[in-house]
Amino acid sequence: MNPKPSCDYDVAVIGGGSAGYAAARTAASAGLRTVVIEGGDEVGGLCILRGCMPTKSLLYMAEAAHLVKHSARFGVRTGIVSFDFKKAIARKNMLIKGFADYRAEQLQQFKFIRANARFLDAYTLELNPWGSNSAQGGSRGRSPHPAALGIASASRTQEAHVPGSCEEDRARTLTAKHFVIATGSIVAPSPLSQLYHLDCLNSDSALSLKKMPKSLIVLGGGPTACEFAQFFARFGARVTVIQRSPHILHDFDADAAAVIENVFRREGIRLFTGTKLLDARRRGKMKTVTFQHDDETVSASAEEVLFALGRTANTAGLDLEKAGVKTLPNGCVAANECMQTSAPHIFAAGDCAGPYEIVHIAVQQGETAGRNIASPNSARADYRLLITVVFTEPQLAQAGLTEKEARARGIPYLAASYPFSDHGKALIMGATDGFVKLLAAPGSGEVIGGTCAGPLGGELIHEIVAAMASRMTVHELAALPHYHPTLAEIWTYPAEDLAGKIHKKRSK
């Protein structure tokens, strides 16, 4: 496929979220004529609008309420503690508007078109009026019927709040020498057809509730499911979590997931793992889910059901086959380490490309795509320093390899852990759940992974990221000065343990 003699743009980026903005910024800074096309009903992308920022703002408010309710152990008298759900949502909305407005301002540095795009051929996009049916509209309401998945319509917002050009209500075409597909993800389809009749909440619509449900069933045990479960439970809802795998947060090691499971049960969350969904139906004003657990049939009922069984690539309406772009069995766009697809001039980045749905990975992929468009084969996506954080309380954070992944890949390792229940600063804070764990290469002692299930885990894990980035050994990490008493000094204990083990092996 050879580019047309003349194209409207050097680079057309489909999607204005974190990956799309990073790709456009990188390409434009290299002097390439760049256009960004956004078909969603709001500007900003999943992280800002319905992902990282709104959920973490609500979780922080829930943690504040939880600390106040349990302040007696610190000698603080508070009396009756209550909260205002509407004010919590209003504060979240205020924060998100600020973040979204800033992203909209950033996008104005490029040609910015509000439209739904689909490929007509390898170098041509058809742009349909913004707000028409398109994969780029996403799925923002409650969990839709299967026919609507991936082709949900986006409701038109006020033009006064939309940056960039306002296109006429007619289809037109646009050509480019290169493309970056960055259309993100949408709520995954349900494994049980009966759930479509319950009008379930999803991770998008749960953020826009007008009132707090008295009871809630959470389907799923991934990071999103767990964060929502604890948020609603700490604000007073009776929460039941139903998870298919033997543990929640199954991408982590079982010992780390068990920390969160124990806290959930202590806080009154009913938790069922190792289940199989059987049925779902309305019974009066309640919604009932029936499932198999420990060879028994169990039913749970609640006012609302939150469908949190993952997301899938948002590419259904792009007509990728017309551009020669292949997809993987999981629906993601197939891309190499340069973020290049099966059509060499078309790149992909962010959730629609996988293999991780994490915003800093999306940014890295977008920048990688932009750099390789400007200078072919100049950059590679590198996941060695992969970071994952679950913002429950305690937080669960991982950098590099887990034990589970090391075993699956046949990578030899040594591991050592240390509990927060024996750590000075954690005892002072009354935050004694969990532990830290280090993985090291048996020969060199290089740090190859770290886990923190405990207080401020999302902050503490970055010490291990820094250590891995410079390929530090556990000997070097153990010798690194740490102020006392701090949470961060806990890393020195497993580092010392591993350094001692390696020294003994070398001495034999």
Side-chain angles (χ1 to χ4, degrees), residues 197-213:
H197 303 295
L198 294 191
D199 192 26
C200 294
L201 295 171
N202 59 41
S203 57
D204 295 345
S205 57
L207 294 168
S208 303
L209 285 172
K210 301 300 182 184
K211 67 176 183 176
M212 183 78 180

Side-chain angles (χ1 to χ4, degrees), residues 178-235:
H178 299 88
F179 298 87
V180 179
I181 302 166
T183 49
S185 62
I186 57 173
V187 175
S190 170
L192 187 68
S193 61
Q194 294 94 317
L195 287 170
Y196 291 114
H197 303 295
L198 294 191
D199 192 26
C200 294
L201 295 171
N202 59 41
S203 57
D204 295 345
S205 57
L207 294 168
S208 303
L209 285 172
K210 301 300 182 184
K211 67 176 183 176
M212 183 78 180
K214 293 180 181 179
S215 55
L216 176 73
I217 295 171
V218 178
L219 301 179
T224 299
C226 290
E227 290 175 358
F228 271 109
Q230 191 173 50
F231 161 71
F232 280 108
R234 286 188 164 186
F235 271 172

Side-chain angles (χ1 to χ4, degrees), residues 344-398:
H345 67 295
I346 300 177
F347 295 72
D351 289 0
C352 68
Y356 307 104
E357 296 178 9
I358 303 173
V359 68
H360 76 274
I361 295 294
V363 171
Q364 179 192 109
Q365 291 176 340
E367 291 173 344
T368 299
R371 289 170 61 186
N372 285 317
I373 291 172
S375 179
N377 300 314
S378 62
R380 300 284 190 278
D382 181 8
Y383 305 123
R384 184 178 73 87
L385 301 179
L386 178 68
I387 315 166
T388 304
V389 181
V390 183
F391 288 87
T392 50
E393 201 283 310
Q395 294 176 3
L396 183 50
Q398 174 69 38

Side-chain angles (χ1 to χ4, degrees), residues 82-219:
S82 62
F83 71 95
D84 189 321
F85 185 72
K86 288 184 179 180
K87 285 188 177 180
I89 296 298
R91 181 176 185 272
K92 180 266 297 182
N93 290 340
M94 176 195 70
L95 291 169
I96 299 316
K97 184 180 185 304
F99 298 137
D101 286 350
Y102 181 62
R103 173 54 52 81
E105 182 181 331
Q106 290 177 311
L107 287 166
Q108 291 186 48
Q109 63 187 288
F110 321 110
K111 173 69 174 179
F112 185 61
I113 300 175
R114 300 301 304 279
N116 294 317
R118 68 184 184 94
F119 284 96
L120 294 180
D121 59 44
Y123 293 93
T124 309
L125 292 177
E126 180 181 78
L127 304 183
N128 290 294
W130 164 52
S132 60
N133 286 349
S134 167
Q136 297 160 71
S139 174
R140 296 199 56 241
R142 294 180 178 240
S143 293
H145 188 273
L149 286 166
I151 51 171
S153 62
S155 57
R156 191 179 295 268
T157 56
Q158 294 183 11
E159 300 285 353
H161 298 293
V162 178
S165 59
C166 298
E167 302 300 314
E168 297 178 8
D169 285 337
R170 59 180 178 81
R172 69 182 190 88
T173 60
L174 174 153
T175 59
K177 296 178 181 178
H178 299 88
F179 298 87
V180 179
I181 302 166
T183 49
S185 62
I186 57 173
V187 175
S190 170
L192 187 68
S193 61
Q194 294 94 317
L195 287 170
Y196 291 114
H197 303 295
L198 294 191
D199 192 26
C200 294
L201 295 171
N202 59 41
S203 57
D204 295 345
S205 57
L207 294 168
S208 303
L209 285 172
K210 301 300 182 184
K211 67 176 183 176
M212 183 78 180
K214 293 180 181 179
S215 55
L216 176 73
I217 295 171
V218 178
L219 301 179

Side-chain angles (χ1 to χ4, degrees), residues 237-280:
R238 298 187 304 276
V239 175
T240 300
V241 175
I242 302 172
Q243 162 72 341
R244 179 178 58 184
S245 301
H247 289 280
I248 60 173
L249 302 168
H250 60 83
D251 287 337
F252 291 83
D253 287 333
D255 54 357
V259 172
I260 309 303
E261 292 175 349
N262 291 337
V263 171
F264 275 15
R265 291 188 171 107
R266 189 176 68 215
E267 294 187 1
I269 296 173
R270 294 177 69 204
L271 179 58
F272 295 91
T273 58
T275 69
K276 179 181 179 181
L277 295 178
L278 300 175
D279 193 17

Side-chain angles (χ1 to χ4, degrees), residues 8 20 47 122 149 176 196 227 262 306 313 327 336 344 424 467 469-470 479 499 504:
D8 299 321
C47 173
L149 286 166
Y196 291 114
E227 290 175 358
N262 291 337
L306 174 62
T327 56
N336 61 20
S470 57
K504 287 181 180 179

Side-chain angles (χ1 to χ4, degrees), residues 13 69 101 104 165 175 212 256 296 432 435 442 473:
V13 179
K69 288 179 182 178
D101 286 350
S165 59
T175 59
M212 183 78 180
E296 295 183 359
T432 56
F435 60 90
T473 66

